[in-house]
Amino acid sequence: MNVYDTELEEHPIVTQQHQNYSTNGELGYQGYTPAAVYQGNNELDRDDDPYQLYPQDALLRNRMPTAREAASGIEEIIMEMPSRTIGRGMGGHIGTMVNATLARRSASRYRKRQLVTLGTFDGIERPNDEIQELYEELADEQTGEIDNEELRQFPVSMAVKKQVRSHANENREKKKSRTVGSFKIWRYNMSIKWRHFKQDTKKFAQNFRLWQQDLKQVEGHFGTGVSSYFTFLRGLFLLSIPSFIFNFAFISLPQLLQQPNRTDPNITFTGEELLTGANWLTETIMYYGYYINGTIEAIPGSEYDMPLAYLLATAGYFVLCLILIVRTTASSFRQNYVDGRSDYNNFISKVFCAWDFGITSETAAKLQHKTITTELKEILSEQRRSGESRDFQEKLKLFSLRLLTWTLYLSLTGGCMALVYFVNDFLLDDIKKGLGGIVILEQIALALIVSSINLIMPIIINLLTHLEKYKYPRHEIYIAVFRNYILKMGLIAVICAFWTDDELKSTSNDNNGSATVECWETELGQEIYRLVIIDFLFTIFFATFCAEFLRKLLVLLLDGKEMCRKLDRAEFAIVNSVMDLIYGQTLCWIGVFFCPLLAGIVFIKYFFMFYIKKVSVMQNCRPSRKRWRGGQSQTIFIGMLLLSFLLSAIFLCVVVFREVPSTACGPYRDQDRSYDVVVNLFNSLYATSSGQWFATIMDIIFSVWFLYSVAAGLLVWAVIKSSEAKGYEELVRSLRAQIELQGDDKQLLLKWLQSTVANQNGKPPPTGGAFQGGKENHVVPILHHRDSAKSTPCPSRSASARNSPKHDINAPMTGDVLTYVDPQHVQASHLVGERMMATTSFSNPSQISLRQREHKDPLLHKALANQQRPRSMFVEGVPSSYDTQRRNSFAGASVDLEDLDTETVYEEILSDPNGPSPLLLALSAKVQAEKSQSSERRPGYGRGGY
Amino acid sequence: MGVGKSKLNREALAEYADLTYFNEGEIVELFKKFESLDQSIQSDPKGRISASNIKSLPELKLNPFADRICEVFSSADDKSMNFDDFLDMMNVLSENASFSLKAHYAFSIFDFNKNGYVDEEDIGKIVQCITNDQDGLKDRALTSNLIEKIMEEADLDRDNQLGRSEFEHVLSKSPDFLSSFKIRL
């Protein structure tokens, strides 16, 4: 080390350089404007071309690129960056492509903006390159037609879109004149028409966006959380419309046209039937039992097979629901759960998606500010807490607590289910014994009990779950929702199981009681009808009237009194309300087979519910103090809806395929199983001659081989899809790795630029200049110290040559010196520099510029390539231009990069315009010293090693 | 429709309907809203309404980012808007707008210092905006903590700032973005 020190000190130029260096280090790069850079640079170009000192560098000089070339040179360098090279072959090129497109798009957007400004001010539309470019990007290559949808979602301003559109129209005229095959024209026309048709219907449908204003109002006052409940409600309402129409048209209407006689014509409508669903209503189109088992010939000559229609219409209804729900679930799932594994979203969505843009009420806005603040604080502290793990004792305590709550919950749920079963049994006995005078209360007792359970249990469940002390409130909500769901499904299951019980049916068949259950389907239908109605009333009365309206009255009444400071208007209970909706919809699906008009009843129910809930929310509730994250919970709710649907479908399948239908009523009274009607249909079809082909098809479809092959096909498909998914996963991973590598690129460029500037810039350039001002940011890599302490000058040359560059080079890694250098900026600065050269006069010949060095980018290229190697690698030789001169001193020598950065060496070599670099001399001395020390020579890294 | 109809002819309406997610009726409605903000433009679609008037729109009045929104969508330097710009804005914030469109503009809005990145300074500003902390003095620790956490989560290439694609990537993972970055018509 001392050897180098003395040697270095002996060289006056080195010392001078060192001084320059330290000055630079002190002042930093802050005032380093491109104007200064290019001024100095041009002086150099004019006067003392450094290459004149090296005639043997003619090759290099010939390679001195123009600014534009230099720009593309940078691009080349970028292409050689770790990310581009390593990423290749594992999807890296996709990343490059995407980046390029993004860059192009955003660049064109920037240009567009400028263009628009011009265009608006002089009022002249100019069809120019940018528009053409944009047009070409968007247009279909063959037809020249622009897809409106694509243009719509292209982020440029309206003025530009207009221009592109008119440009497209012009072009279309031109293209039309070309000779194209008639089929192509036809196909093209058809596709255009189809697209327009789709667009038109979509836009037309927007006219009928139901309750849009109400939703907006709710959202304006309560944010997206509460409005998500109403959106859910609206979705169910919309679902019930086609369902009702479907069921009514295919089941009820034909029966209505030809009504069978009532068994007891004396029963009249009293009004209480609306509540109980019994008595007069029992023998109407409302219930399964009323439908006949023959054909209907309301219109002469046409036969309508009622049993078949009944089954097929119900099946059709389920298929319809399935399609709609699965579609919604899938899109919601895609949107919200695609990358569920990564623990994203916490801070991102709580900061970037915190503000509800729909908020229009001032109190809500104020509250939202407050909510966001507390929430942010909460999650920060939560984050800190999550680091701490609970100790064993605490864990044990928590475990026993949760064990207790789970036992409690399960026993409560089991108790509720048992209660429902026994009450049902008890009431049935009453009916059987024919106690007479069946009062309303007895009829609706079960529904009342179930609804009460549904009202009270969620409160208990929430309490229990709250006791369990989950780390995240989100988990608490999910657990509570899950328990609530299990309870509700359990209750429904008990009722279904009770009515489909074989024993019950056998008693009805044996006819041993004074009163029998003649038609269990109708009974079940009635029960579900009551449940739907009572549930609706309970929701209105307790959840809305008592909990919201009366509470508000109470608050108003006691306003200002000391004791009730804490009492405030109710917050809208989103979770419980949505759970109630899911419960109601499940009832509808279960009951639709037994009570075909149930879809219509829930349709009416949802309609009133929307308005009642909306008015109540607007009048009685206050915005929640906690922020409700709609996104993921929405998916969970829709998922539960789907699950409910599947459970109901399974139940109905069991009923249709396994359960024995009542013999006294309904369309299947003379069948063993409901689905026998389908079998009979097939049999009758087989019998006819025209049905032969159909029979063959059915035979094939139901043959074992066919089913096997379908199953095998599905299996293969699933395997393909799952491996595809794995492939995408891999791609995502590699792309992510690539992004990280690109971060490395940036830092690499940064190091390079920084050390170049540090080494080369003799003295800090003046801060003033043509480029001072607002535009500066667009063309200059922003260089500034974050921490000036870290860039203090080094005390001696040796330190500067050996440590300081290294120190500085490593600096960005620890994030202190330069914040960023964007490659695009470097590129831009070149182009601007070129322009500057033509117009500016120069005054500072001694300046050595950044650009000067960038002109030698092929070498830098190599330097960068070299830098990508592991640090322990040995380097032999230097770039060719220098090599001829310095070969002797370098030949065979190896320099450990740990001691001296190749980078530093290269920078020194590349940058020094003043003749044989003193550092090179120093380096050679060092190299020789090292050579003498080291007896071992490392082979294999010749000059061709680049 | 009355006054608006004379200024917005059928072709213009059709053009707007082609270029936005709105249908013609909605565009007429939006135009009414637009001209109600400033009577002095005399329902001329080309007339410009100053930023302060635009901000009196109920949806923007309380929005802490209203200023940035005006700036981003305005085609003039003074943040004023003509109907094109206004429609642009409502289009991006409409329910039907695609994610990529929304994310693109969200990025521009959040890029307070207009340097092409959402960097620490911008995030600090965003936090100030959403917590209604105008002078930024209320809770410095909170802001710096948040910046750190966000960078940890979102800054994939570790350059301490979010580029456009990084930003859009993380937003695509936030289910709440589409529901919050939206103004119902």
Side-chain angles (χ1 to χ4, degrees), chain A residues 768-818:
Chain A
F771 265 76
Q772 276 282 314
K775 296 267 182 222
E776 191 176 295
N777 276 352
H778 295 293
V779 290
V780 192
I782 297 168
L783 311 173
H784 61 262
H785 280 274
R786 281 244 226 103
D787 184 356
S788 53
K790 295 221 173 162
S791 56
T792 42
C794 303
S796 73
R797 177 60 199 163
S798 67
S800 155
R802 289 171 51 85
N803 301 332
S804 178
K806 217 169 154 187
H807 167 82
D808 275 348
I809 282 159
N810 289 331
M813 285 301 207
T814 49
D816 56 3
V817 177
L818 297 175

Side-chain angles (χ1 to χ4, degrees), chain B residues 101-112:
Chain B
L101 186 66
K102 277 178 186 283
H104 184 98
Y105 280 96
F107 180 85
S108 308
I109 288 168
F110 289 151
D111 184 13
F112 279 79

Side-chain angles (χ1 to χ4, degrees), chain B residues 82-162:
Chain B
N82 56 16
F83 185 55
D84 276 5
D85 299 337
F86 182 75
L87 206 54
D88 249 347
M89 174 178 82
M90 296 312 279
N91 186 37
V92 168
L93 292 171
S94 77
E95 270 174 284
N96 295 338
S98 70
F99 169 79
S100 64
L101 186 66
K102 277 178 186 283
H104 184 98
Y105 280 96
F107 180 85
S108 308
I109 288 168
F110 289 151
D111 184 13
F112 279 79
N113 54 15
K114 287 172 273 181
N115 64 352
Y117 289 91
V118 171
D119 55 16
E120 301 189 346
E121 189 189 340
D122 294 327
I123 295 174
K125 284 249 176 67
I126 294 169
V127 174
Q128 274 180 34
C129 276
I130 57 175
T131 56
N132 198 18
D133 176 18
Q134 266 117 18
D135 42 8
L137 297 173
K138 236 196 280 178
D139 206 336
R140 283 228 179 113
L142 175 77
T143 313
S144 60
N145 268 336
L146 277 176
I147 290 173
E148 190 189 315
K149 295 287 177 197
I150 285 174
M151 286 305 175
E152 219 169 83
E153 260 181 53
D155 186 19
L156 296 175
D157 61 5
R158 304 187 296 269
D159 60 355
N160 255 333
Q161 55 194 357
L162 307 180

